[in-house]
Amino acid sequence: MQGLMMEMPLLISSILQHAARHHGDTEVVSRRIEGDIHRYTYLDCERRARRLADALTKSGVAMGDRVATLAWNGYRHMELYYAVGGMGAVIHTINPRLHPEQIAWIVNHAGDRHLAFDITFLPIVEAIAPLCPGVESWIAMIDPDRQPVSDKIGSLVNFERLLKSGSPDWVWPEFDERSAVGLCYTSGTTGNPKGALYSHRSSVLHAFGAALPDAMGASARDVILPVVPMFHVNAWGLPYVAPLVGAKLVFPGAQLDGASIYELFETEKVTYSAGVPTVWLGLLAHVKQKGARFSTLERTVIGGSACPPAMIRTFRDDYGVDVIHAWGMTEMSPLGTLARLQNRHLDLPPEQQQKILEKQGHVIFGVDMKIVNDEGEALAWDGSSLGDLLVRGPWVVREYFKGEGGDPLRYDAQGRGWFPTGDVATIDPQGYMQITDRSKDVIKSGGEWISSIDLENLAIAHPAVANAAVIGVPHPKWDERPLLIVVKRAGVELTRDELLKFYEGKVAKWWLPDDVQFVDSIPLGATGKILKTRLREQFADYRLPGL
Ligand code: AMP
């Protein structure tokens, strides 16, 4: 017997429609590339998103087509999220920090038909345009009087002029909630970057889950400033969460330094923010140097990399701001777990509470997790058994875009698929998960991935290198930095600087290893694979130069 309730598809357009109808005068504030502060309301945002959707339809964008962005957090980016997704096309947010060749690869793999960009990224667009013949138009997100000209880009369109060609009478369509809405590539896996393709259903459910009080928690009393970029897993869902609950939104644009963020916190009365640990170092340094206080900031979500315990303490003890340590992945839309106290913890001494808050946390309803051993057997939640962390849920990927990398799931005795996160964790008897290591071969620096395998392959291409391995080593600002470990070919000379120079132009600058260590041999496993765990043990006491 089926239930007899309405079949109303869960579509992201309904979130913005809700905000326009019920929180129509709530503000969306943006620091613009143009240099000023732009402010309008959810009502304006929804109207412009509809006009944009109509304009895109007129330029031939159809259901399922991919429209890419290379853009900061701002109102035009938000309009693209809703216009493109709401019309049934797919918004593909690209990380501009990747090497241009990698960006071109991603654009072509995604089959992007249009690409909208903040003019900060004009040099990237000029570099990739000749490599991306499938892109029909390049849309500059800037006022018409600042429209750039470039003889390197075929069809260069202005965002505002495009939007004006659309009608405000356009109506949001209804379609299958399982339709794709967003595409986000991750380079946090081996091989080529892989696309996580979110559906309307998964995005709306994720936004509901994220807004729960013990998750990120958001309400119409909040003013939310996402420092986490909209090209990092949809700014952790905040462009959907804020209009869903009717919170005021503040977009920081390109200026992510401590002083600029602090200024927006104060002038816009921000209560709530979110970002990777590295950005908060800059903010805390600024506030400390100025002897300033946060007048309205109540809490901030910190994730993407492990949040240093001292940061949680400083925010709480020195500034009265709660840190919500969160863990998730691109493949999980991204939220999985968050560290919040429960009723039973409220009378604990602060030091014991701090220990709980340092963990990656408790799952939100919707996500299930388990830790398993090498044989795939579930391990005890005793706080000390270490295992591979697997997850499942309606906002977790079941496969990557275009089937890249094959079936990623592991199946249990009931045939249910679980996504292997590549993280190694413990889970305590109260269900709090703590990450202890990573089994995937990648390094996370300032919240961005560096492929150790790409760096190794490049080193091995050097004629004087017999073997090479790259591991992540701790860094106080960037969390991890790459260390290159090299076995030289017999009888040849090779210096650290020669080898580092060899990388120049081949990878993004921030991928360059911070140091090179020459060794006689690299530990290998039975199948000839480099034993990274052994190497990490071997270099456990190593410190990067200058630290
Ligand atoms: P991404 O897909 O770029 O969001 O990266 C997801 C990965 O980042 C996870 O699988 C972890 O390896 C790492 N990560 C994310 N959040 C945390 C956290 N709070 N603590 C430790 N590692 C984290």
Side-chain angles (χ1 to χ4, degrees):
M1 186 188 287
Q2 296 232 313
L4 293 173
M5 308 316 264
M6 286 187 192
E7 292 275 334
M8 214 176 108
L10 300 174
L11 300 175
I12 58 110
S13 54
S14 63
I15 298 179
L16 193 58
Q17 275 177 282
H18 168 82
R21 276 174 70 80
H22 304 285
H23 302 279
D25 58 356
T26 299
E27 276 187 317
V28 178
V29 179
S30 310
R31 195 193 285 283
R32 303 203 305 167
I33 301 297
E34 286 88 337
D36 56 351
I37 299 284
H38 173 274
R39 47 181 80 239
Y40 70 177
T41 63
Y42 279 127
L43 196 64
D44 303 322
C45 178
E46 196 262 352
R47 274 202 197 126
R48 276 177 49 100
R50 271 190 292 117
R51 285 189 82 169
L52 183 58
D54 186 45
L56 290 168
T57 309
K58 284 178 180 149
S59 28
V61 176
M63 290 273 301
D65 281 350
R66 270 79 66 203
V67 176
T69 60
L70 269 171
W72 302 109
N73 293 4
Y75 67 105
R76 291 185 180 120
H77 206 173
M78 171 101 166
E79 290 161 5
L80 278 159
Y81 263 49
Y82 282 94
V84 174
M87 67 190 282
V90 179
I91 177 98
H92 170 207
T93 50
I94 304 176
N95 185 343
R97 295 187 181 127
L98 298 174
H99 193 272
E101 264 175 35
Q102 223 173 3
I103 296 180
W105 185 93
I106 288 173
V107 168
N108 292 331
H109 188 270
D112 295 328
R113 290 191 55 194
H114 302 270
L115 188 147
F117 64 99
D118 273 324
I119 58 163
T120 325
F121 305 120
L122 184 64
I124 300 181
V125 170
E126 288 187 322
I128 66 172
L131 308 174
C132 303
V135 177
E136 293 158 31
S137 76
W138 305 84
I139 307 164
M141 297 160 69
I142 191 84
D143 285 347
D145 59 349
R146 301 266 307 267
Q147 176 72 3
V149 279
S150 171
D151 54 9
K152 300 199 181 79
I153 306 168
S155 171
L156 188 53
V157 172
N158 179 263
F159 182 93
E160 294 298 333
R161 286 197 198 111
L162 173 71
L163 189 143
K164 277 216 177 92
S165 69
S167 159
D169 299 331
W170 191 84
V171 180
W172 299 109
E174 272 200 12
F175 45 80
D176 187 341
E177 65 183 21
R178 291 165 302 177
S179 308
V181 65
L183 178 61
C184 191
Y185 279 73
T186 174
S187 34
T189 58
T190 48
N192 285 323
K194 297 183 180 65
L197 187 61
Y198 311 117
S199 66
H200 283 261
R201 176 185 154 78
S202 72
S203 304
V204 173
L205 289 177
H206 177 268
F208 267 125
L212 288 173
D214 279 337
M216 294 210 285
S219 82
R221 289 171 297 287
D222 277 315
V223 179
I224 304 180
L225 186 152
V227 181
V228 52
M230 289 166 77
F231 55 78
H232 265 184
V233 214
N234 299 324
W236 301 346
L238 289 171
Y240 298 132
V241 171
L244 184 142
V245 299
K248 171 176 164 182
L249 252 180
V250 183
F251 287 126
Q255 284 165 249
L256 301 177
D257 59 290
S260 306
I261 297 284
Y262 178 76
E263 186 189 280
L264 277 183
F265 277 177
E266 292 299 304
T267 53
E268 299 303 327
K269 300 190 169 37
V270 171
T271 59
Y272 177 25
S273 192
V276 297
T278 306
V279 299
W280 302 122
L281 283 178
L283 178 80
L284 287 173
H286 170 81
V287 176
K288 188 165 182 204
Q289 192 214 345
K290 298 278 175 210
R293 311 288 309 163
F294 297 106
S295 319
T296 52
L297 188 69
E298 292 167 7
R299 59 203 194 284
T300 180
V301 180
I302 301 187
S305 288
C307 181
M311 187 175 280
I312 302 179
R313 249 190 228 116
T314 306
F315 264 117
R316 190 187 56 190
D317 298 348
D318 299 355
Y319 299 103
V321 174
D322 284 332
V323 167
I324 305 171
H325 187 198
W327 167 87
M329 304 180 70
T330 306
E331 291 90 334
M332 299 175 69
S333 307
L335 282 183
T337 63
L338 299 103
R340 316 276 329 242
L341 297 180
Q342 299 177 357
N343 184 270
R344 62 177 127 190
H345 305 130
L346 298 181
D347 293 330
L348 291 177
E351 265 320 296
Q352 285 184 39
Q353 291 184 343
Q354 164 83 16
K355 286 281 161 235
I356 296 165
L357 296 173
E358 286 170 12
K359 295 190 177 195
Q360 275 69 15
H362 212 267
V363 286
I364 326 171
F365 167 75
V367 176
D368 198 4
M369 66 178 176
K370 63 178 179 178
I371 41 173
V372 299
N373 61 16
D374 289 346
E375 284 68 49
E377 294 156 351
L379 298 174
W381 291 19
D382 55 13
S384 57
S385 302
L386 285 177
D388 288 322
L389 180 64
L390 309 186
V391 290
R392 65 194 308 266
W395 57 78
V396 178
V397 290
R398 65 161 189 268
E399 62 179 276
Y400 290 102
F401 186 46
K402 293 188 174 166
E404 202 66 48
D407 182 357
L409 303 188
R410 295 207 203 142
Y411 293 88
D412 63 19
Q414 286 75 39
R416 294 194 191 112
W418 290 77
F419 180 81
T421 63
D423 289 317
V424 178
T426 60
I427 305 177
D428 72 19
Q430 297 179 347
Y432 285 77
M433 184 272 287
Q434 186 157 28
I435 304 235
T436 57
D437 199 1
R438 206 181 280 143
S439 56
K440 49 195 170 192
D441 211 355
V442 276
I443 294 161
K444 206 163 204 192
S445 174
E448 306 276 3
W449 291 117
I450 296 175
S451 161
S452 24
I453 292 174
D454 284 359
L455 292 180
E456 285 160 9
N457 288 343
L458 279 168
I460 288 165
H462 191 287
V465 171
N467 202 0
V470 172
I471 57 170
V473 290
H475 188 283
K477 176 165 182 198
W478 303 111
D479 188 30
E480 285 182 319
R481 291 296 304 155
L483 169 68
L484 173 60
I485 300 161
V486 169
V487 182
K488 278 189 253 187
R489 280 195 194 284
V492 289
E493 282 306 310
L494 176 65
T495 67
R496 168 189 186 277
D497 292 347
E498 276 164 14
L499 196 47
L500 291 182
K501 212 160 174 44
F502 186 66
Y503 279 101
E504 279 175 20
K506 300 188 177 90
V507 292
K509 268 210 182 92
W510 59 274
W511 274 39
L512 282 183
D514 278 29
D515 196 17
V516 182
Q517 292 282 296
F518 293 101
V519 293
D520 294 333
S521 67
I522 286 177
L524 301 178
T527 55
K529 254 180 84 171
I530 295 171
L531 284 177
K532 291 279 170 91
T533 39
R534 182 83 58 79
L535 261 187
R536 283 201 285 266
E537 280 163 23
Q538 207 173 313
F539 283 87
D541 296 328
Y542 168 86
R543 290 289 164 270
L544 285 168
L547 292 185

